[in-house]
Tab-separated table of all heavy atoms in Angstrom:
chain	number	residue	atom	x	y	z
A	141	GLU	N	3.207	8.533	-22.679
A	141	GLU	CA	4.328	8.379	-21.751
A	141	GLU	C	4.023	9.007	-20.385
A	141	GLU	O	4.716	8.715	-19.430
A	141	GLU	CB	5.597	8.991	-22.331
A	141	GLU	CG	6.127	8.266	-23.555
A	141	GLU	CD	7.406	8.921	-24.082
A	141	GLU	OE1	7.800	9.982	-23.586
A	141	GLU	OE2	8.000	8.341	-25.027
A	142	GLN	N	3.023	9.843	-20.316
A	142	GLN	CA	2.670	10.459	-19.041
A	142	GLN	C	1.827	9.549	-18.148
A	142	GLN	O	1.658	9.781	-16.930
A	142	GLN	CB	1.828	11.724	-19.334
A	142	GLN	CG	2.577	12.778	-20.182
A	142	GLN	CD	3.882	13.177	-19.526
A	142	GLN	OE1	3.927	13.475	-18.371
A	142	GLN	NE2	4.930	13.207	-20.342
A	143	PHE	N	1.281	8.469	-18.744
A	143	PHE	CA	0.501	7.550	-17.958
A	143	PHE	C	1.412	6.742	-17.026
A	143	PHE	O	2.430	6.224	-17.421
A	143	PHE	CB	-0.250	6.587	-18.886
A	143	PHE	CG	-1.156	5.526	-18.169
A	143	PHE	CD1	-2.469	5.864	-17.932
A	143	PHE	CD2	-0.654	4.327	-17.811
A	143	PHE	CE1	-3.297	4.968	-17.297
A	143	PHE	CE2	-1.497	3.442	-17.146
A	143	PHE	CZ	-2.829	3.743	-16.892
A	144	SER	N	1.015	6.653	-15.722
A	144	SER	CA	1.850	5.927	-14.721
A	144	SER	C	0.947	5.106	-13.867
A	144	SER	O	-0.242	5.381	-13.689
A	144	SER	CB	2.651	6.890	-13.924
A	144	SER	OG	1.831	7.754	-13.109
A	145	VAL	N	1.508	4.050	-13.248
A	145	VAL	CA	0.805	3.202	-12.378
A	145	VAL	C	1.526	3.209	-11.020
A	145	VAL	O	2.760	3.089	-10.963
A	145	VAL	CB	0.705	1.720	-12.854
A	145	VAL	CG1	-0.064	0.825	-11.913
A	145	VAL	CG2	0.045	1.714	-14.273
A	146	SER	N	0.737	3.380	-9.952
A	146	SER	CA	1.290	3.469	-8.606
A	146	SER	C	1.344	2.102	-7.913
A	146	SER	O	0.438	1.275	-8.107
A	146	SER	CB	0.479	4.398	-7.744
A	146	SER	OG	0.346	5.673	-8.320
A	147	ILE	N	2.414	1.886	-7.128
A	147	ILE	CA	2.572	0.669	-6.374
A	147	ILE	C	2.943	1.047	-4.953
A	147	ILE	O	3.785	1.932	-4.735
A	147	ILE	CB	3.645	-0.285	-6.977
A	147	ILE	CG1	3.774	-1.536	-6.106
A	147	ILE	CG2	4.956	0.436	-7.141
A	147	ILE	CD1	4.657	-2.566	-6.723
A	148	ASN	N	2.252	0.466	-3.963
A	148	ASN	CA	2.578	0.757	-2.578
A	148	ASN	C	3.824	0.067	-2.083
A	148	ASN	O	3.999	-1.108	-2.365
A	148	ASN	CB	1.387	0.296	-1.703
A	148	ASN	CG	0.124	1.099	-1.922
A	148	ASN	OD1	0.027	2.254	-1.526
A	148	ASN	ND2	-0.867	0.485	-2.614
A	149	ILE	N	4.691	0.832	-1.465
A	149	ILE	CA	5.935	0.305	-0.944
A	149	ILE	C	5.844	0.226	0.563
A	149	ILE	O	5.545	1.236	1.269
A	149	ILE	CB	7.142	1.199	-1.387
A	149	ILE	CG1	7.205	1.324	-2.907
A	149	ILE	CG2	8.443	0.640	-0.787
A	149	ILE	CD1	7.431	0.029	-3.640
A	150	SER	N	6.097	-0.935	1.136
A	150	SER	CA	6.024	-1.131	2.601
A	150	SER	C	7.233	-0.546	3.310
A	150	SER	O	8.241	-0.266	2.651
A	150	SER	CB	5.874	-2.611	2.938
A	150	SER	OG	7.087	-3.296	2.632
A	151	GLN	N	7.149	-0.391	4.592
A	151	GLN	CA	8.255	0.107	5.371
A	151	GLN	C	9.475	-0.794	5.269
A	151	GLN	O	10.608	-0.340	5.111
A	151	GLN	CB	7.849	0.213	6.805
A	151	GLN	CG	9.001	0.703	7.805
A	151	GLN	CD	9.434	2.108	7.558
A	151	GLN	OE1	8.686	3.075	7.770
A	151	GLN	NE2	10.639	2.273	7.060
A	152	SER	N	9.298	-2.121	5.348
A	152	SER	CA	10.379	-3.036	5.281
A	152	SER	C	11.101	-3.008	3.916
A	152	SER	O	12.314	-3.072	3.804
A	152	SER	CB	9.916	-4.481	5.584
A	152	SER	OG	8.914	-4.881	4.661
A	153	GLN	N	10.286	-2.856	2.804
A	153	GLN	CA	10.829	-2.697	1.470
A	153	GLN	C	11.631	-1.433	1.348
A	153	GLN	O	12.780	-1.399	0.828
A	153	GLN	CB	9.763	-2.718	0.443
A	153	GLN	CG	9.191	-4.070	0.120
A	153	GLN	CD	8.113	-3.906	-0.923
A	153	GLN	OE1	7.068	-3.366	-0.674
A	153	GLN	NE2	8.360	-4.400	-2.130
Side-chain angles (χ1 to χ4, degrees):
E141 293 181 355
Q142 301 301 314
F143 182 89
S144 64
V145 182
S146 303
I147 180 172
N148 292 287
I149 302 298
S150 69
Q151 177 67 66
S152 58
Q153 283 180 291

